[in-house]
């Protein structure tokens, strides 16, 4: 499972994800007026089953997007609500029961000019299935007389068919295995099932059983709740946890860029800056106020300089940076403290300590340690106590409010950080090597001028 937050070029990224679709696309958005996304859907409708829910209002009804073109290609368009008095506020897309796109972004041109975002959840079959079920519930609510809605195969039926095939392998019923494999192929083919089909075709039954069990295990974490409100609260909490994690990853990436720049600035220019500050202090020795100010500047920078040059930061390649970013995101999802907010205090503390260690390793570019932490998390060194998870609605509601408040504050902090003068200055430097070389020359000139003025 991977989670990624996208804040820029959102429409282009949505198009990229849609382009990966092999089998099915579910879309529920309030407003859909972006023609570029729509044109990509037209292309994908030749091979994919497409279902779309939009608001039944003037914005969509007067849009340049011609939904009839999709309807003519056997896609299904559901307009829900009745204008201003009842709006459809969902914003999600599910691709191939594998990828979920959520967030604040409506699929409209107006949204391009707002501070919007999307969160992309990849390889999260449990979450995808929950959203598809939500999609179906919306359609049933507004189209109760529609008996045979053109939905693609439910994941539950896929799992049942796979269970049958697994049992037939155990019973050595080869002909029945082939028959059921063909039935499954007729129902659904995606990247994850393709490897199972290949194993069955090649009579590699031990591999097939292993792959089938792995596929099914992705859905064994689904919990059936007697109370639907508890189920919906759990889903909202899970989504908020993912969003917070994605936002914090984005914030951490920006902070890391600033820290890396400052560290290099200190290493390359620090000696010159210290020499200049020290010389200024000497020049102002007979001017009490200026000397005091110069001495304070020197002492402050000298302390900063000493701390900075003692930091251990590993030099890694561009490819290693990409790999570090990937494994860090996977690890941060597994040990983020918000994931353990309802666990016993000792587990919460363990998660906080591990998350802190993970961040420190990442900031040092210590890819070896980040990898070790991820592998240990996969082995279950930090597992939530599933049997003891809370089910009290009031506590769930409080958790939800707490996470919403955190997300709101985090979003504000992220905007402030992205708009800060420091970050804006750094991202506007096209060539760091050239920047430091030029500043080194300027500082050397300033130092020489000060020496000449002694």
């Amino acid at each position: 499972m991977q989670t990624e937050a996208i804040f820029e070029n959102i429409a282009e990224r949505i198009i990229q994800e849609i382009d990966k679709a092999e089998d099915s696309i579910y879309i529920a958005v309030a407003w859909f007026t972006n023609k570029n996304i729509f044109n990509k859907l037209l292309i994908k409708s030749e091979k994919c089953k497409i279902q779309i829910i939009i608001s039944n209002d003037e914005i969509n009804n007067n849009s340049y997007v011609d939904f009839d073109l999709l309807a003519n290609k056997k896609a299904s368009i559901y307009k829900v609500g009745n204008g201003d008095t009842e709006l459809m506020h969902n914003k999600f897309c599910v691709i191939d029961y594998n990828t979920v796109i959520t967030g604040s972004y409506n699929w409209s041109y107006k949204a391009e000019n707002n501070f919007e975002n999307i969160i992309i959840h990849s390889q999260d079959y449990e979450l995808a299935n929950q959203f598809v079920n939500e999609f179906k519930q919306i359609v049933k609510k507004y189209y109760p007389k529609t008996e045979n809605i053109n939905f693609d195969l439910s994941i539950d039926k896929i799992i049942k068919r796979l269970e049958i095939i697994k049992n037939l392998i155990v019973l050595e019923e080869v002909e029945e295995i082939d028959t059921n494999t063909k039935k499954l192929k007729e129902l659904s083919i995606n990247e994850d099932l393709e490897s199972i089909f290949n194993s069955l075709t090649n009579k590699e039954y031990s591999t097939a059983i292993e792959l089938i069990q792995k596929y099914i295990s992705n859905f064994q974490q689904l919990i059936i709740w007697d109370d639907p409100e508890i189920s919906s609260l759990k889903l909202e909490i899970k989504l908020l946890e993912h969003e917070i994690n994605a936002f914090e990853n984005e914030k951490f990436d920006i902070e890391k860029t600033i820290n890396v720049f400052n560290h290099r600035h200190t290493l390359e220019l620090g000696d010159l800056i210290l020499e200049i500050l020290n010389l200024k202090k000497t020049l102002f020795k007979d001017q009490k106020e200026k000397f005091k100010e110069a001495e304070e500047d020197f002492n402050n920078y000298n302390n900063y300089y000493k701390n900075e040059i003692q930091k251990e930061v590993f030099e890694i390649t561009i490819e290693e940076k990409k790999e570090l970013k990937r494994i860090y995101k996977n690890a941060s999802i597994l040990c983020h403290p918000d994931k353990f907010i309802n666990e016993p205090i000792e587990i919460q503390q363990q998660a906080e300590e591990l998350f802190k260690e993970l961040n420190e390793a990442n900031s040092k570019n210590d890819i070896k340690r980040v990898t070790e932490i991820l592998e240990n998390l996969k082995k279950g060194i930090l597992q939530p106590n599933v049997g003891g998870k809370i089910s009290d609605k009031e506590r769930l509601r409080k958790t939800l409010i707490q996470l919403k408040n955190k997300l709101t504050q985090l979003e504000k902090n992220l905007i402030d950080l992205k708009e800060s003068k420091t970050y804006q200055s750094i991202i506007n430097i096209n060539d760091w090597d050239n920047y430091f070389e030029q500043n080194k020359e300027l500082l050397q000139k300033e130092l020489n001028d000060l020496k000449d003025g002694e």
Side-chain angles (χ1 to χ4, degrees), residues 70 116 136 224 281 298:
L70 266 180
E116 306 289 355
K136 294 178 181 180
I224 306 301
K281 187 175 64 169
F298 174 82

Side-chain angles (χ1 to χ4, degrees), residues 49-89:
K49 296 174 182 177
I50 298 176
Q51 312 284 332
I52 300 176
I53 298 174
I54 56 175
S55 290
N56 183 23
D57 63 7
E58 290 186 2
I59 294 176
N60 288 318
N61 293 332
N62 297 326
S63 168
Y64 289 107
V65 170
D66 187 357
F67 291 102
D68 289 339
L69 293 175
L70 266 180
N72 291 337
K73 294 196 175 189
K74 297 183 180 179
S76 297
I77 313 296
Y78 304 100
K79 293 185 177 182
V80 304
N82 54 4
D84 294 334
T85 59
E86 189 177 12
L87 295 174
M88 201 280 297
H89 291 291

Side-chain angles (χ1 to χ4, degrees), residues 3-4 17 26 48 73 88 103 128 131-133 141 157 165 194 218 258-259 302 321 326 340 357 379 384 441:
T3 304
E4 183 179 3
E17 295 300 321
Y26 292 95
C48 296
K73 294 196 175 189
M88 201 280 297
F131 269 101
V132 171
N133 287 335
K141 175 181 177 181
K157 292 183 180 179
I165 293 172
E194 190 66 43
N218 286 321
I258 294 172
N259 291 335
N302 190 39
K321 286 180 181 178
R326 183 188 69 81
F340 303 88
E357 183 182 357
K379 292 175 184 177
E441 292 176 5

Side-chain angles (χ1 to χ4, degrees), residues 262-361:
N262 289 339
H263 185 69
R264 182 172 174 183
H265 190 281
T266 304
L267 294 179
E268 298 210 19
L269 307 178
D271 288 335
L272 278 171
I273 294 172
L274 271 178
E275 195 172 352
I276 289 170
L277 291 174
N278 190 46
L279 187 55
K280 284 183 177 180
K281 187 175 64 169
T282 304
L283 290 172
F284 295 139
K285 62 182 179 181
D286 296 326
Q287 302 177 50
K288 186 176 180 181
E289 289 299 323
K290 287 189 176 182
F291 176 80
K292 183 179 179 182
E293 183 179 339
E295 185 178 42
E296 186 176 340
D297 289 342
F298 174 82
N299 290 337
N300 288 339
Y301 189 80
N302 190 39
N303 291 332
Y304 167 79
Y305 176 82
K306 288 179 179 178
N307 290 330
E308 197 66 30
I309 61 173
Q310 289 175 358
K311 287 183 179 178
E312 183 181 24
V313 179
F314 298 96
E315 292 291 331
I316 57 178
T317 65
I318 294 175
E319 288 303 314
E320 286 174 330
K321 286 180 181 178
K322 291 180 181 178
E323 178 63 9
L324 176 61
K325 187 172 183 178
R326 183 188 69 81
I327 59 178
Y328 168 78
K329 285 185 175 180
N330 289 342
S332 67
I333 290 172
L334 294 175
C335 68
H336 196 285
D338 288 336
K339 186 181 180 70
F340 303 88
I341 196 170
N342 295 311
E343 298 296 333
I345 188 65
E346 59 271 15
I347 295 181
Q348 293 183 39
Q349 290 174 346
Q350 186 183 356
E352 289 173 1
E353 290 171 3
L354 195 58
F355 190 64
K356 181 181 178 181
E357 183 182 357
L358 176 67
N359 285 334
E360 289 175 351

